[in-house]
Amino acid sequence: MAWLTQSRFPGRKPVVSAFRTAIELLPAPASTEHFALRQLRHDLQDIVDGPDPRGGTFKAQAIHVAGKLHDQAIRSMLQDHTRVD
């Protein structure tokens, strides 16, 4: 979601739409073992629902959560990658 950090922020509607899609695509963890994934889904939903203004601007919070989503995507990609030497 690098488009969030461009000089012109895309606005609330595209961000909320992208985060809704991310929530739909993220697997819903069935156990307490996946705390980070549950927390990420919660953080994305907070942005969709309207973030707490005490946490900063919508833009700042959206960029922060997008970074978490990016980190989770990289972890998932590396975890599923089978290394062949």
Coordinates of all heavy atoms in Angstrom, one line a residue:
M1 N 0.8 -1.2 0.0 CA 0.0 0.0 0.0 C 0.9 1.3 0.0 O 0.6 2.2 0.7 CB -0.9 0.0 1.2 CG -1.9 -1.1 1.2 SD -3.2 -0.7 2.3 CE -4.4 -2.0 1.8
A2 N 1.9 1.2 -0.8 CA 2.8 2.4 -0.9 C 2.0 3.6 -1.4 O 2.5 4.7 -1.1 CB 3.9 2.1 -1.9
W3 N 0.9 3.5 -2.0 CA 0.2 4.6 -2.5 C -0.3 5.5 -1.4 O -0.7 6.7 -1.6 CB -1.0 4.2 -3.4 CG -1.9 3.1 -2.9 CD1 -1.7 1.8 -3.0 CD2 -3.1 3.3 -2.1 NE1 -2.7 1.1 -2.4 CE2 -3.6 2.0 -1.8 CE3 -3.8 4.4 -1.6 CZ2 -4.7 1.8 -1.1 CZ3 -4.9 4.2 -0.9 CH2 -5.4 2.9 -0.6
L4 N -0.3 5.0 -0.1 CA -0.8 5.8 1.0 C 0.3 6.9 1.3 O -0.1 7.9 2.0 CB -1.0 4.9 2.2 CG -2.2 4.1 2.2 CD1 -2.3 3.2 3.5 CD2 -3.5 4.9 2.2
T5 N 1.5 6.7 1.0 CA 2.6 7.6 1.4 C 3.0 8.6 0.3 O 3.9 9.3 0.4 CB 3.8 6.8 1.8 OG1 4.3 6.0 0.7 CG2 3.5 5.9 3.0
Q6 N 2.2 8.6 -0.8 CA 2.4 9.6 -1.9 C 2.2 11.0 -1.4 O 1.5 11.2 -0.3 CB 1.6 9.3 -3.1 CG 1.9 7.9 -3.7 CD 0.9 7.6 -4.9 OE1 0.1 8.4 -5.2 NE2 1.1 6.5 -5.5
S7 N 2.6 11.9 -2.1 CA 2.5 13.3 -1.7 C 1.0 13.7 -1.5 O 0.6 14.5 -0.7 CB 3.2 14.3 -2.6 OG 2.6 14.2 -3.9
R8 N 0.1 13.1 -2.4 CA -1.3 13.4 -2.2 C -2.0 12.2 -1.7 O -2.1 11.1 -2.3 CB -1.9 13.7 -3.6 CG -1.5 15.1 -4.1 CD -2.3 15.5 -5.3 NE -3.7 15.6 -5.0 CZ -4.6 15.8 -5.8 NH1 -4.4 15.8 -7.1 NH2 -5.9 15.9 -5.4
F9 N -2.4 12.3 -0.4 CA -3.1 11.1 0.2 C -4.4 10.8 -0.6 O -5.1 11.8 -0.9 CB -3.4 11.5 1.7 CG -3.9 10.4 2.5 CD1 -3.1 9.4 2.9 CD2 -5.2 10.4 2.9 CE1 -3.6 8.3 3.7 CE2 -5.7 9.3 3.7 CZ -4.9 8.3 4.1
P10 N -4.7 9.6 -0.8 CA -5.8 9.2 -1.7 C -7.2 9.6 -1.1 O -8.2 9.6 -1.8 CB -5.6 7.7 -1.9 CG -4.9 7.3 -0.7 CD -4.0 8.4 -0.3
G11 N -7.3 9.8 0.2 CA -8.6 10.1 0.8 C -9.1 8.9 1.5 O -8.6 7.8 1.5
R12 N -10.1 9.2 2.3 CA -10.7 8.2 3.2 C -11.4 7.0 2.5 O -11.2 5.9 2.9 CB -11.7 8.9 4.1 CG -12.0 8.1 5.4 CD -12.9 9.0 6.3 NE -12.2 9.9 7.1 CZ -11.9 9.8 8.3 NH1 -12.3 8.7 9.0 NH2 -11.2 10.7 9.0
K13 N -12.2 7.3 1.5 CA -12.9 6.2 0.8 C -12.0 5.1 0.2 O -12.3 4.0 0.4 CB -13.9 6.8 -0.2 CG -15.1 7.5 0.4 CD -16.1 7.9 -0.7 CE -17.3 8.6 -0.1 NZ -18.3 9.0 -1.1
P14 N -11.0 5.5 -0.6 CA -10.2 4.4 -1.1 C -9.4 3.6 -0.1 O -9.2 2.4 -0.2 CB -9.2 5.2 -2.0 CG -9.7 6.5 -2.3 CD -10.6 6.8 -1.1
V15 N -9.0 4.3 1.0 CA -8.3 3.6 2.1 C -9.2 2.6 2.8 O -8.9 1.5 3.0 CB -7.7 4.6 3.1 CG1 -7.2 3.9 4.3 CG2 -6.7 5.5 2.4
V16 N -10.4 3.1 3.1 CA -11.4 2.2 3.8 C -11.7 1.0 2.9 O -11.8 -0.1 3.4 CB -12.7 3.0 4.2 CG1 -13.8 2.1 4.6 CG2 -12.3 4.0 5.3
S17 N -11.9 1.3 1.6 CA -12.2 0.2 0.7 C -11.1 -0.8 0.6 O -11.3 -2.0 0.7 CB -12.5 0.8 -0.7 OG -12.7 -0.3 -1.6
A18 N -9.8 -0.3 0.5 CA -8.7 -1.2 0.5 C -8.5 -2.0 1.8 O -8.2 -3.2 1.8 CB -7.4 -0.4 0.2
F19 N -8.8 -1.4 2.9 CA -8.7 -2.1 4.2 C -9.8 -3.1 4.4 O -9.6 -4.2 4.9 CB -8.7 -1.1 5.4 CG -7.4 -0.4 5.6 CD1 -6.3 -0.5 4.6 CD2 -7.1 0.4 6.7 CE1 -5.1 0.2 4.8 CE2 -5.9 1.0 6.9 CZ -4.9 0.9 5.9
R20 N -11.0 -2.8 3.9 CA -12.1 -3.8 3.9 C -11.7 -5.1 3.1 O -11.9 -6.2 3.5 CB -13.4 -3.2 3.3 CG -14.1 -2.4 4.3 CD -15.5 -2.1 3.8 NE -16.2 -1.2 4.7 CZ -16.7 0.0 4.5 NH1 -16.7 0.5 3.3 NH2 -17.3 0.6 5.4
T21 N -11.1 -4.8 1.9 CA -10.7 -5.9 1.1 C -9.6 -6.7 1.8 O -9.6 -8.0 1.8 CB -10.1 -5.4 -0.3 OG1 -11.1 -4.7 -0.9 CG2 -9.6 -6.5 -1.1
A22 N -8.7 -6.1 2.5 CA -7.6 -6.7 3.2 C -8.2 -7.6 4.3 O -7.8 -8.8 4.5 CB -6.6 -5.7 3.8
I23 N -9.2 -7.1 5.0 CA -9.8 -7.9 6.1 C -10.5 -9.1 5.5 O -10.4 -10.2 6.1 CB -10.9 -7.0 6.8 CG1 -10.2 -5.9 7.6 CG2 -11.7 -7.9 7.8 CD1 -11.2 -4.8 8.1
E24 N -11.1 -9.0 4.4 CA -11.8 -10.1 3.7 C -10.8 -11.2 3.3 O -11.1 -12.4 3.4 CB -12.6 -9.7 2.5 CG -13.8 -8.9 2.9 CD -14.5 -8.3 1.6 OE1 -14.1 -8.6 0.5 OE2 -15.4 -7.4 1.8
L25 N -9.6 -10.7 2.9 CA -8.6 -11.7 2.4 C -7.7 -12.3 3.4 O -7.2 -13.4 3.2 CB -7.7 -11.0 1.3 CG -8.4 -10.5 0.1 CD1 -7.4 -9.7 -0.8 CD2 -8.9 -11.7 -0.7
L26 N -7.6 -11.6 4.6 CA -6.8 -12.2 5.7 C -7.5 -13.4 6.3 O -8.7 -13.3 6.6 CB -6.6 -11.1 6.8 CG -5.5 -10.1 6.5 CD1 -5.5 -9.0 7.6 CD2 -4.1 -10.8 6.5
P27 N -6.8 -14.4 6.6 CA -7.5 -15.6 7.2 C -7.9 -15.2 8.6 O -7.2 -14.5 9.3 CB -6.4 -16.7 7.2 CG -5.1 -15.9 7.0 CD -5.4 -14.7 6.3
A28 N -9.1 -15.7 9.0 CA -9.5 -15.4 10.4 C -8.9 -16.5 11.3 O -9.1 -17.7 11.1 CB -11.0 -15.5 10.5
P29 N -8.0 -16.0 12.2 CA -7.3 -17.0 13.1 C -8.3 -17.7 14.0 O -9.1 -17.1 14.6 CB -6.3 -16.2 13.8 CG -6.8 -14.8 13.7 CD -7.6 -14.7 12.5
A30 N -8.1 -19.0 14.1 CA -9.0 -19.8 14.9 C -8.5 -20.0 16.3 O -9.2 -20.5 17.2 CB -9.2 -21.2 14.2
S31 N -7.2 -19.7 16.5 CA -6.7 -20.0 17.8 C -6.0 -18.8 18.4 O -5.8 -17.8 17.7 CB -5.7 -21.2 17.8 OG -4.5 -20.8 17.1
T32 N -5.6 -18.8 19.6 CA -4.9 -17.7 20.2 C -3.5 -17.7 19.8 O -2.8 -16.7 20.2 CB -5.0 -17.8 21.8 OG1 -4.5 -19.1 22.2 CG2 -6.4 -17.7 22.2
E33 N -3.0 -18.6 19.1 CA -1.6 -18.7 18.6 C -1.3 -17.5 17.7 O -0.1 -17.1 17.5 CB -1.3 -20.0 18.0 CG -1.3 -21.2 18.9 CD -1.1 -22.5 18.2 OE1 -0.7 -22.5 17.0 OE2 -1.5 -23.5 18.8
H34 N -2.3 -17.1 17.0 CA -2.1 -16.1 15.9 C -2.5 -14.7 16.4 O -3.3 -14.0 15.8 CB -2.9 -16.4 14.7 CG -2.5 -17.8 14.1 ND1 -3.2 -18.9 14.4 CD2 -1.5 -18.1 13.3 CE1 -2.6 -19.9 13.8 NE2 -1.6 -19.5 13.1
F35 N -1.9 -14.3 17.5 CA -2.2 -13.0 18.1 C -1.9 -11.8 17.1 O -2.7 -10.9 17.0 CB -1.4 -12.7 19.4 CG -1.6 -11.4 20.0 CD1 -2.8 -11.1 20.7 CD2 -0.7 -10.3 19.8 CE1 -3.0 -9.8 21.2 CE2 -0.9 -9.1 20.3 CZ -2.1 -8.8 21.0
A36 N -0.8 -11.9 16.4 CA -0.4 -10.8 15.5 C -1.4 -10.6 14.4 O -1.8 -9.5 14.0 CB 1.0 -11.0 15.0
L37 N -1.9 -11.7 13.9 CA -2.9 -11.7 12.8 C -4.2 -11.2 13.3 O -4.9 -10.4 12.7 CB -3.1 -13.1 12.2 CG -3.9 -13.2 10.9 CD1 -3.4 -12.2 9.9 CD2 -3.9 -14.6 10.4
R38 N -4.6 -11.6 14.5 CA -5.9 -11.1 15.1 C -5.8 -9.6 15.3 O -6.7 -8.8 15.1 CB -6.2 -11.8 16.4 CG -6.8 -13.2 16.2 CD -7.5 -13.7 17.5 NE -7.1 -13.1 18.8 CZ -6.2 -13.7 19.6 NH1 -5.6 -14.8 19.3 NH2 -5.8 -13.1 20.7
Q39 N -4.6 -9.1 15.8 CA -4.4 -7.7 16.1 C -4.5 -6.9 14.8 O -5.0 -5.8 14.8 CB -3.1 -7.5 16.9 CG -2.9 -6.1 17.3 CD -3.9 -5.6 18.3 OE1 -4.2 -6.3 19.2 NE2 -4.4 -4.4 18.1
L40 N -3.9 -7.4 13.8 CA -3.9 -6.8 12.5 C -5.3 -6.6 12.0 O -5.7 -5.5 11.5 CB -3.0 -7.5 11.5 CG -3.0 -6.9 10.1 CD1 -2.5 -5.5 10.0 CD2 -2.2 -7.8 9.1
R41 N -6.1 -7.6 12.0 CA -7.5 -7.6 11.6 C -8.2 -6.5 12.4 O -9.0 -5.7 11.9 CB -8.2 -8.9 11.7 CG -7.7 -9.9 10.7 CD -8.3 -11.3 10.9 NE -9.7 -11.2 10.8 CZ -10.4 -11.4 9.7 NH1 -9.8 -11.6 8.6 NH2 -11.8 -11.4 9.7
H42 N -8.0 -6.5 13.7 CA -8.6 -5.5 14.6 C -8.2 -4.1 14.2 O -9.0 -3.2 14.1 CB -8.2 -5.8 16.0 CG -8.8 -4.8 17.0 ND1 -8.1 -3.7 17.4 CD2 -10.0 -4.8 17.7 CE1 -8.8 -3.0 18.3 NE2 -10.0 -3.7 18.4
D43 N -6.9 -3.9 14.0 CA -6.4 -2.6 13.6 C -7.0 -2.1 12.3 O -7.3 -0.9 12.1 CB -4.8 -2.6 13.5 CG -4.2 -2.8 14.8 OD1 -4.9 -2.6 15.9 OD2 -3.0 -3.1 14.9
L44 N -7.1 -3.0 11.3 CA -7.7 -2.6 10.0 C -9.1 -2.3 10.2 O -9.6 -1.3 9.6 CB -7.6 -3.8 9.0 CG -6.2 -4.1 8.5 CD1 -6.1 -5.5 7.8 CD2 -5.8 -3.0 7.4
Q45 N -9.8 -3.0 11.0 CA -11.3 -2.8 11.3 C -11.4 -1.4 12.0 O -12.4 -0.7 11.7 CB -11.9 -3.9 12.1 CG -13.4 -3.8 12.2 CD -14.1 -3.9 10.9 OE1 -13.8 -4.9 10.1 NE2 -14.9 -3.0 10.5
D46 N -10.5 -1.1 12.9 CA -10.6 0.2 13.5 C -10.5 1.4 12.5 O -11.2 2.4 12.7 CB -9.4 0.4 14.5 CG -9.7 -0.3 15.9 OD1 -10.9 -0.7 16.1 OD2 -8.8 -0.4 16.7
I47 N -9.7 1.2 11.5 CA -9.6 2.3 10.5 C -10.9 2.3 9.7 O -11.4 3.4 9.4 CB -8.4 2.0 9.6 CG1 -7.1 2.1 10.3 CG2 -8.4 3.1 8.4 CD1 -6.7 3.4 11.0
V48 N -11.4 1.2 9.3 CA -12.7 1.1 8.6 C -13.8 1.8 9.4 O -14.6 2.5 8.8 CB -13.0 -0.4 8.2 CG1 -14.4 -0.5 7.7 CG2 -12.0 -0.9 7.2
D49 N -13.9 1.5 10.7 CA -14.9 2.0 11.5 C -14.7 3.5 11.9 O -15.7 4.1 12.3 CB -15.0 1.2 12.8 CG -15.5 -0.2 12.6 OD1 -16.0 -0.5 11.6 OD2 -15.2 -1.1 13.5
G50 N -13.5 4.0 11.7 CA -13.2 5.3 12.1 C -12.3 5.3 13.3 O -12.7 5.0 14.4
P51 N -11.1 5.6 13.1 CA -10.1 5.5 14.1 C -10.3 6.5 15.3 O -11.0 7.5 15.1 CB -8.7 5.8 13.4 CG -9.1 6.6 12.3 CD -10.5 6.2 11.8
D52 N -9.8 6.2 16.4 CA -9.8 7.0 17.6 C -9.0 8.3 17.3 O -7.8 8.2 17.0 CB -9.3 6.3 18.8 CG -9.4 7.0 20.1 OD1 -9.6 8.3 20.1 OD2 -9.4 6.4 21.1
P53 N -9.6 9.5 17.4 CA -8.8 10.7 17.1 C -7.6 10.9 18.1 O -6.7 11.6 17.8 CB -9.8 11.8 17.2 CG -11.0 11.2 17.9 CD -10.9 9.7 17.7
R54 N -7.6 10.2 19.2 CA -6.5 10.4 20.2 C -5.3 9.7 19.6 O -4.2 10.0 20.1 CB -6.9 9.8 21.5 CG -8.0 10.5 22.2 CD -8.4 9.8 23.5 NE -9.1 8.6 23.1 CZ -9.6 7.7 23.9 NH1 -9.5 7.9 25.2 NH2 -10.2 6.6 23.5
G55 N -5.4 8.9 18.6 CA -4.3 8.2 18.0 C -3.6 8.9 16.9 O -2.7 8.4 16.3
G56 N -4.0 10.1 16.6 CA -3.5 10.9 15.5 C -4.5 11.0 14.4 O -5.6 10.6 14.5
T57 N -4.0 11.5 13.3 CA -4.9 11.8 12.1 C -5.2 10.4 11.5 O -4.5 9.4 11.6 CB -4.2 12.7 11.1 OG1 -3.0 12.0 10.6 CG2 -3.7 14.0 11.7
F58 N -6.3 10.5 10.7 CA -6.7 9.3 9.9 C -5.5 8.9 9.1 O -5.2 7.7 9.0 CB -7.9 9.6 9.1 CG -8.3 8.5 8.2 CD1 -9.1 7.5 8.7 CD2 -7.9 8.4 6.9 CE1 -9.5 6.4 7.8 CE2 -8.3 7.4 6.0 CZ -9.1 6.4 6.5
K59 N -4.9 9.8 8.4 CA -3.8 9.5 7.5 C -2.6 8.8 8.2 O -2.1 7.8 7.8 CB -3.2 10.8 6.8 CG -2.1 10.5 5.9 CD -1.6 11.9 5.3 CE -0.3 11.7 4.5 NZ 0.2 12.9 3.9
A60 N -2.2 9.3 9.4 CA -1.1 8.7 10.1 C -1.5 7.3 10.6 O -0.6 6.4 10.5 CB -0.8 9.6 11.3
Q61 N -2.7 7.1 11.1 CA -3.1 5.8 11.6 C -3.2 4.8 10.4 O -2.8 3.7 10.5 CB -4.4 5.9 12.3 CG -4.2 6.6 13.6 CD -5.5 6.7 14.4 OE1 -6.1 5.7 14.7 NE2 -5.9 7.9 14.8
A62 N -3.7 5.3 9.3 CA -3.9 4.4 8.1 C -2.5 4.0 7.6 O -2.3 2.8 7.3 CB -4.6 5.1 7.0
I63 N -1.5 4.9 7.5 CA -0.2 4.5 7.1 C 0.5 3.5 8.1 O 1.1 2.6 7.6 CB 0.7 5.8 6.9 CG1 0.2 6.6 5.7 CG2 2.2 5.5 6.8 CD1 0.8 8.0 5.6
H64 N 0.3 3.7 9.3 CA 0.8 2.8 10.4 C 0.2 1.4 10.2 O 1.0 0.4 10.2 CB 0.5 3.4 11.8 CG 1.0 2.5 12.9 ND1 2.4 2.5 13.2 CD2 0.4 1.7 13.7 CE1 2.5 1.6 14.2 NE2 1.4 1.1 14.5
V65 N -1.1 1.3 10.0 CA -1.7 0.0 9.9 C -1.3 -0.6 8.5 O -1.1 -1.8 8.4 CB -3.2 0.1 10.0 CG1 -3.9 -1.2 9.7 CG2 -3.6 0.5 11.4
A66 N -1.2 0.2 7.5 CA -0.7 -0.3 6.2 C 0.7 -0.9 6.3 O 1.0 -2.0 5.7 CB -0.7 0.8 5.1
G67 N 1.5 -0.3 7.1 CA 2.9 -0.9 7.4 C 2.8 -2.2 8.1 O 3.5 -3.2 7.7
K68 N 1.9 -2.4 9.0 CA 1.7 -3.7 9.7 C 1.2 -4.7 8.7 O 1.6 -5.9 8.7 CB 0.6 -3.5 10.8 CG 1.1 -2.8 12.0 CD 0.0 -2.8 13.1 CE 0.4 -2.2 14.4 NZ -0.7 -2.3 15.4
L69 N 0.3 -4.3 7.8 CA -0.2 -5.2 6.8 C 0.9 -5.7 5.9 O 1.0 -6.9 5.5 CB -1.4 -4.6 6.0 CG -2.0 -5.4 4.9 CD1 -2.6 -6.7 5.5 CD2 -3.1 -4.5 4.2
H70 N 1.7 -4.7 5.5 CA 2.9 -5.1 4.6 C 3.8 -6.1 5.3 O 4.2 -7.1 4.7 CB 3.6 -3.8 4.3 CG 4.9 -4.1 3.5 ND1 6.1 -4.2 4.1 CD2 5.1 -4.2 2.2 CE1 7.0 -4.4 3.1 NE2 6.4 -4.4 2.0
D71 N 4.1 -5.8 6.6 CA 4.9 -6.7 7.4 C 4.3 -8.1 7.4 O 5.0 -9.1 7.3 CB 5.2 -6.2 8.8 CG 6.0 -5.0 8.8 OD1 6.6 -4.6 7.8 OD2 6.1 -4.3 9.9
Q72 N 3.0 -8.2 7.7 CA 2.4 -9.5 7.7 C 2.4 -10.2 6.4 O 2.6 -11.4 6.3 CB 0.9 -9.4 8.2 CG 0.1 -10.7 8.2 CD 0.7 -11.7 9.2 OE1 1.1 -11.3 10.3 NE2 0.7 -12.9 8.8
A73 N 2.2 -9.5 5.3 CA 2.3 -10.1 4.0 C 3.7 -10.7 3.7 O 3.8 -11.8 3.2 CB 1.9 -9.1 2.9
I74 N 4.7 -9.9 4.1 CA 6.1 -10.4 3.9 C 6.3 -11.7 4.7 O 6.9 -12.6 4.3 CB 7.1 -9.3 4.2 CG1 7.0 -8.2 3.2 CG2 8.5 -9.9 4.2 CD1 7.3 -8.5 1.8
R75 N 5.9 -11.6 6.0 CA 6.1 -12.8 6.9 C 5.4 -14.0 6.3 O 6.0 -15.1 6.2 CB 5.5 -12.6 8.3 CG 6.5 -11.9 9.2 CD 6.0 -11.9 10.6 NE 4.7 -11.3 10.9 CZ 4.5 -10.0 11.1 NH1 5.5 -9.2 11.1 NH2 3.3 -9.5 11.3
S76 N 4.2 -13.9 5.8 CA 3.4 -15.0 5.2 C 4.1 -15.5 3.9 O 4.2 -16.7 3.7 CB 2.0 -14.5 4.8 OG 1.3 -14.2 6.0
M77 N 4.6 -14.6 3.1 CA 5.3 -15.0 1.9 C 6.5 -15.8 2.2 O 6.8 -16.8 1.6 CB 5.6 -13.7 1.1 CG 6.3 -14.1 -0.2 SD 6.7 -12.6 -1.2 CE 8.1 -12.0 -0.2
L78 N 7.3 -15.3 3.2 CA 8.6 -16.0 3.5 C 8.3 -17.3 4.2 O 9.0 -18.3 4.0 CB 9.4 -15.1 4.4 CG 10.0 -13.8 3.7 CD1 10.7 -13.0 4.7 CD2 10.9 -14.2 2.5
Q79 N 7.3 -17.4 5.0 CA 6.9 -18.6 5.7 C 6.5 -19.7 4.7 O 6.8 -20.8 4.9 CB 5.8 -18.3 6.7 CG 5.3 -19.5 7.5 CD 4.2 -19.2 8.4 OE1 3.6 -18.1 8.3 NE2 3.9 -20.1 9.3
D80 N 5.8 -19.3 3.7 CA 5.3 -20.3 2.7 C 6.3 -20.6 1.6 O 6.1 -21.5 0.8 CB 4.0 -19.7 2.0 CG 2.9 -19.6 3.0 OD1 2.9 -20.2 4.0 OD2 1.9 -18.8 2.7
H81 N 7.4 -19.9 1.6 CA 8.4 -20.1 0.6 C 9.3 -21.3 0.9 O 9.8 -21.4 2.0 CB 9.3 -18.8 0.5 CG 10.4 -18.9 -0.6 ND1 10.1 -18.9 -1.9 CD2 11.7 -19.0 -0.5 CE1 11.2 -19.0 -2.6 NE2 12.2 -19.1 -1.7
T82 N 9.4 -22.2 0.0 CA 10.3 -23.3 0.2 C 11.6 -23.0 -0.5 O 11.7 -22.7 -1.7 CB 9.7 -24.6 -0.4 OG1 8.4 -24.8 0.2 CG2 10.6 -25.8 -0.2
R83 N 12.7 -23.1 0.2 CA 14.0 -22.8 -0.3 C 14.6 -24.0 -0.9 O 14.6 -25.1 -0.4 CB 14.9 -22.3 0.8 CG 16.3 -21.8 0.3 CD 17.1 -21.2 1.4 NE 18.4 -20.9 0.9 CZ 19.2 -20.2 1.5 NH1 19.0 -19.8 2.7 NH2 20.4 -19.9 0.9
V84 N 15.1 -23.8 -2.2 CA 15.7 -24.9 -2.9 C 17.1 -24.5 -3.1 O 17.4 -23.5 -3.7 CB 15.0 -25.2 -4.2 CG1 15.7 -26.3 -5.0 CG2 13.5 -25.5 -4.0
D85 N 18.1 -25.3 -2.7 CA 19.5 -25.0 -2.9 C 20.1 -25.8 -4.0 O 19.7 -26.9 -4.3 CB 20.3 -25.3 -1.6 CG 20.0 -24.3 -0.5 OD1 19.8 -23.1 -0.8 OD2 19.9 -24.7 0.7

